[in-house]
């Protein structure tokens, strides 16, 4: 009886501290990255995949006006070192999902980026997907922790019958709080004690997606 109780406590502790190391629904389902050939990352930007590969080639970024049409390939972040912000600011970007992915795959923005090309990269990120859900997570190295697990919200529209959806995402920070908005509607607010926001801002796009987007916009 005593041994069983100890084992139960150990199991409970393990569950309480469980974190994810991959965000991609398809990756968890065993769906491999599709092979993508193309022009790669735009000049002046860096891309890093979840396994730490810098400047991956299995991505297609096509510049269209002031934006990008993106086809993936592996899940990755893309950023420019100049896009650094701290204190009170707003980081925002628009996304158009061009076609439905094979699995619910997400895209969005990140802030508070540090050591992004290194093993100890860290950032806070805010993603949506065509199922009408959003999530907020933090990454520290290979450890991913949920601030808000996948959650439906009326502000996050579901993709239409053609697999298309559009979203405008924003993270707005004050002295002590980060506000997460979709199409200017607040979906969550979090203390800066739990979500670091000082650092580089950029985009995160999961694997096997076809979206249109643009470089991050920062209002300081």
């Amino acid at each position: 009886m005593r041994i069983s109780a100890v084992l139960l406590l150990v199991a409970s502790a393990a569950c309480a501290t469980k974190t994810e190391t991959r965000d991609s629904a398809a990756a968890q389902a065993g769906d491999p990255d599709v092979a993508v050939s193309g022009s790669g990352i735009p000049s002046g930007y860096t891309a890093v995949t979840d396994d730490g590969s810098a400047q991956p080639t299995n991505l297609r970024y096509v510049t269209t006006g002031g934006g990008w049409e993106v086809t993936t390939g592996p899940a990755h972040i893309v950023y420019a070192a100049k896009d650094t912000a701290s204190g009170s600011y707003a980081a925002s970007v628009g996304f158009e999902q061009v076609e439905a992915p094979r699995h619910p795959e997400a895209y969005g923005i990140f802030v508070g980026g540090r050591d992004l090309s290194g093993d100890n990269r860290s950032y806070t990120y805010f993603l949506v997907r065509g199922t009408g859900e959003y999530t907020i997570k933090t990454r520290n190295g290979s450890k991913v922790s949920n601030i808000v697990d996948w959650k439906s919200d009326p502000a996050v529209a579901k993709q239409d019958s053609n697999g298309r959806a559009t979203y405008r995402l924003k993270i707005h920070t004050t002295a002590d709080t980060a506000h997460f908005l979709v199409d200017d509607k607040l979906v969550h607010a979090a203390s800066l004690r739990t979500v670091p926001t000082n650092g580089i801002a950029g985009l995160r796009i999961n694997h096997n997606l076809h979206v249109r987007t643009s470089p991050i916009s920062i209002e300081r």
Side-chain angles (χ1 to χ4, degrees):
M1 180 71 71
R2 186 174 302 170
I3 293 175
S4 298
V6 171
L7 290 175
L8 179 61
L9 286 172
V10 171
S12 298
C15 291
T17 58
K18 182 180 179 181
T19 57
E20 301 175 40
T21 57
R22 300 288 297 271
D23 301 296
S24 169
Q28 294 170 3
D31 186 32
D33 296 342
V34 298
V36 175
S37 60
S39 53
I41 305 305
S43 176
Y45 288 83
T46 299
V48 180
T49 61
D50 284 355
D51 64 5
S53 300
Q55 299 302 88
T57 57
N58 195 20
L59 301 169
R60 182 186 303 129
Y61 276 72
V62 178
T63 300
T64 56
W68 301 324
E69 184 163 347
V70 185
T71 308
T72 59
H76 66 287
I77 56 172
V78 59
Y79 62 92
K82 64 180 178 60
D83 291 327
T84 300
S86 61
S88 298
Y89 68 92
S92 61
V93 73
F95 277 93
E96 177 188 357
Q97 181 178 293
V98 178
E99 57 185 307
R102 290 180 293 184
H103 298 266
E105 291 295 343
Y107 37 89
I109 60 178
F110 74 85
V111 296
R114 296 178 181 273
D115 191 30
L116 293 176
S117 296
D119 292 338
N120 296 316
R121 62 192 179 280
S122 63
Y123 52 89
T124 296
Y125 56 118
F126 176 34
L127 307 180
V128 293
R129 61 189 184 189
T131 53
E133 300 168 293
Y134 76 94
T135 188
I136 301 167
K137 301 172 183 280
T138 59
R139 176 178 291 275
N140 288 283
S142 62
K143 176 183 175 181
V144 174
S145 301
N146 286 329
I147 303 301
V148 178
D149 203 354
W150 284 109
K151 182 178 180 180
S152 298
D153 192 280
V156 187
K158 292 184 178 181
Q159 65 193 32
D160 65 19
S161 59
N162 295 315
R164 303 177 79 91
T166 59
Y167 309 98
R168 183 77 185 175
L169 305 183
K170 179 185 289 186
I171 299 176
H172 172 258
T173 67
T174 63
D176 56 7
T177 306
H179 303 95
F180 299 84
L181 302 96
V182 180
D183 295 335
D184 293 324
K185 297 175 183 177
L186 181 69
V187 296
H188 189 74
S191 167
L192 297 190
R193 292 191 298 271
T194 60
V195 289
T197 57
N198 291 340
I200 295 174
L203 311 185
R204 178 178 170 85
I205 306 174
N206 276 4
H207 91 162
N208 296 354
L209 278 164
H210 183 191
V211 298
R212 293 190 182 101
T213 185
S214 63
I216 196 83
S217 173
I218 301 176
E219 301 174 37
R220 296 177 177 87

